Amino acid sequence: MSLHKDQLLARIASRDAVVAIVGLGYVGLPLAMEFANAGFRVIGYDVSERVCALLNRGESHIQDVAAAQVAGHVAAGRFVATTDPARLGDADAISIAVPTPLSKTRDPDMTYVNAATATVVAHAHAGQVIVLESTTYPGTTREVILPALAQAGFAVGEDVFLAFSPERVDPGNPVYHTKNTPKVVGGTTPACTEVASALYAACIDTIVPVSCTETAELVKLLENTFRSVNIGLVNEIAIVCDKLGVDVWEVIDAAATKPFGFMKFTPGPGIGGHCIPLDPHYLAWKMRTLNYKTRFIDLASEINAGMPDYVVEKVARALNDDRKAVNGSRVLVLGVAYKRDIDDMRESPALDIIRLLEQRGATVAYHDPHVPSFREGDHEMHGVALTPAALAEADAVVIVTEHRAIDWQLVVDHAGLVVDTRNATHGTHPGRARVIALAEGRPAAAGVA
Ligand code: SAJ
């Protein structure tokens, strides 16, 4: 029997519990807003002075969170952003949503999780529930946060409660948001699962309790490894179709008519984003420490990572057909965000394609209605307007991200050569452009590997 548990459950039920969110990014800020919407007082903690200042002014730096919502909760005294870690001591519940990037050697970079853990534990008190949301390898919650709490003198499951709950935020998704996406919750102990589930049930429609933190950690990795492997499969099918002279889009659309046992994925120029290119490597890394090679993950990553090279080869072949070399050609890239209709550039395959083209001597410009400019290392690029002149003067136009805001008929009407890696020009009327598809359907010479 835990007095702390009963008191905490009562404070959650009455909305007297104070909730703190560590990390106010695309996961933490929407979550903070949902807790505030549910009537909790919310302390948003972030190391960025800039982010905290703009939020306290009632602004929002996250595409899916309206400034008006932030302003309303700030004005009502239900939300405050702070860089002062001591404020975490005022919280009954803490959700940690900090980045878990990969290092240069594709190993987990736990810098942010370790820093957040140290900060949270330094201000922890009996009666708190602490939940890690950052995508990470199975075992992180039990091997990193639990020992830190125990070392600070806490009996996890008795006076503090610890769980993992994977974030399932899909930026830009018009249907699924934090509140209506089922929330998996796995505790270090059954009492931890109970408390963390009650916390999230106060602001999220559906809770999915699981038996432990490792299960919850692995659920997330399965979800996104599933996508990486299936995207890798369709990317290989695109290469297969290219060699067979078959239209990969027609194959996939026809396969997708199967009403059971099939799920449509589409080939493309590679994979980007904060999840799919990274998450599977967390699992691969953990399994390497257990002397197991996750072959599916490694093969899918290899195929997906090879797609930018495949695209640049197609551009080179298409220019060659026009008796042009890549070296000295002007190439216009359409769409640089990592997927359509968003402004996020993280891990975008466009960055690889631009780099590879420039390495071969091409002069590369880009147009993206959602990305006016971007910086990659010491390389800064500013987008150009999509005009008939810009299209006509390009030796090749490469469609990398199929934003709905781009007028694809304009593109095929004015460009001379278009390499379409996303089937974006599907449905346009024939124009001036010679359009090369990702799988252009030109049979490879027999016997050529
Ligand atoms: N991609 C393909 N072919 C596909 C699907 C995606 O090439 O069939 C590419 C995209 O262009 C992008 C990358 O893969 O470059 C990742 O795309 P994504 O659709 O998986 O989008 P993400 O990275 O925003 O993934 C998020 C994930 N959400 C969370 O982790 C909470 C993922 O689990 C969601 O399933 C996904 O959004 C979604 O469905 O939109």
Side-chain angles (χ1 to χ4, degrees), residues 34 64 168 170-182 205:
E34 289 306 341
D64 292 340
R168 284 177 162 176
D170 179 24
N173 191 312
V175 177
Y176 293 105
H177 312 290
T178 298
K179 181 171 174 27
N180 68 353
T181 300
D205 297 344

Side-chain angles (χ1 to χ4, degrees), residues 307-379:
M307 292 311 287
D309 278 301
Y310 174 80
V311 168
V312 170
E313 273 309 310
K314 289 197 80 63
V315 174
R317 251 202 330 256
L319 284 168
N320 188 58
D321 290 345
D322 289 346
R323 298 182 181 277
K324 294 177 182 175
V326 175
N327 195 345
S329 286
R330 289 156 305 181
V331 179
L332 176 62
V333 169
L334 297 186
V336 291
Y338 79 79
K339 70 177 184 180
R340 76 175 177 185
D341 304 337
I342 65 170
D343 61 1
D344 196 332
M345 288 285 296
R346 281 174 290 185
E347 304 283 329
S348 175
L351 297 169
D352 297 311
I353 290 168
I354 290 169
R355 174 176 46 78
L356 291 167
L357 286 167
E358 289 181 336
Q359 284 173 353
R360 291 191 182 204
T363 300
V364 183
Y366 85 91
H367 167 79
D368 186 315
H370 302 280
V371 184
S373 67
F374 69 88
R375 172 180 287 277
E376 178 66 14
D378 56 0
H379 192 28

Side-chain angles (χ1 to χ4, degrees), residues 168-170 220 224 227 265-266 272 275-276 338-339 422:
R168 284 177 162 176
V169 176
D170 179 24
K220 170 70 178 184
N224 285 356
R227 290 185 70 75
F265 287 85
T266 53
C275 302
I276 310 308
Y338 79 79
K339 70 177 184 180
R422 297 282 196 174

Side-chain angles (χ1 to χ4, degrees), residues 79 159 201 216 221 248 255 259 264 296 323 325 343 345 357 367 386 392 423 441 443:
F79 174 73
D159 47 26
L221 295 176
V248 68
K264 179 177 180 179
F296 267 111
R323 298 182 181 277
D343 61 1
M345 288 285 296
L357 286 167
H367 167 79
L386 186 64
N423 204 30

Side-chain angles (χ1 to χ4, degrees), residues 25 113 126 185 202 236 313 355 377 395:
V113 169
V185 180
E236 181 162 66
E313 273 309 310
R355 174 176 46 78
D395 296 301

